[in-house]
Amino acid sequence: MLFRITTETVDPETDRPAADRLIAGTPVFTTWNVEERDGLYCGTWRSTPGKWTIRYDEWEYCRILDGYSIITEDGGEALHVRAGDGFVLRPGFVGTWEVVETTTKEYVIRL
């Protein structure tokens, strides 16, 4: 079955980083999860500005649609991402995600 990924057909969910992971700001996450099947998730995610710690147990491919964020692995270099940039976060990644300008991404997650 083929279908278009769109935020118009899915009710959004909102969330925030856990208090123990929040570093700066008051970011709000909005997620439109359009597919959830057999450990695979895909959809669109948006965050307002802020900075928090991230820890990945899953594999995730992301494509930035708009905004500007800085993702930094502990002990590594900062990755500055903007519209059109794609990247993969692998299991075991630990670092920070800083949203400088409200950022929207499409994602595919594999548990």
Side-chain angles (χ1 to χ4, degrees), residues 91-111:
F93 181 95
V94 177
T96 60
W97 189 304
E98 179 180 7
V99 173
V100 179
E101 297 171 2
T102 296
T103 298
T104 307
K105 69 177 182 178
E106 289 182 326
Y107 63 87
V108 178
I109 297 172
R110 181 61 147 170
L111 300 181

Side-chain angles (χ1 to χ4, degrees), residues 8-111:
E8 297 169 6
T9 59
V10 178
D11 291 330
E13 299 174 15
T14 58
D15 200 5
R16 297 177 180 271
D20 64 336
R21 293 189 180 197
L22 184 62
I23 297 169
T26 56
V28 175
F29 308 149
T30 305
T31 304
W32 295 265
N33 199 45
V34 298
E35 178 80 342
E36 184 174 331
R37 179 187 308 225
D38 301 323
L40 180 76
Y41 300 83
C42 67
T44 304
W45 173 90
R46 178 176 297 140
S47 178
T48 59
K51 184 176 183 179
W52 59 94
T53 299
I54 55 175
R55 293 182 182 92
Y56 273 72
D57 295 324
E58 64 277 1
W59 177 96
E60 180 175 0
Y61 167 78
C62 304
R63 167 85 44 199
I64 302 297
L65 302 177
D66 60 44
Y68 169 49
S69 286
I70 304 168
I71 303 163
T72 307
E73 187 169 9
D74 284 356
E77 294 183 27
L79 175 65
H80 296 253
V81 295
R82 294 176 174 86
D85 291 338
F87 56 94
V88 171
L89 293 163
R90 293 186 176 98
F93 181 95
V94 177
T96 60
W97 189 304
E98 179 180 7
V99 173
V100 179
E101 297 171 2
T102 296
T103 298
T104 307
K105 69 177 182 178
E106 289 182 326
Y107 63 87
V108 178
I109 297 172
R110 181 61 147 170
L111 300 181

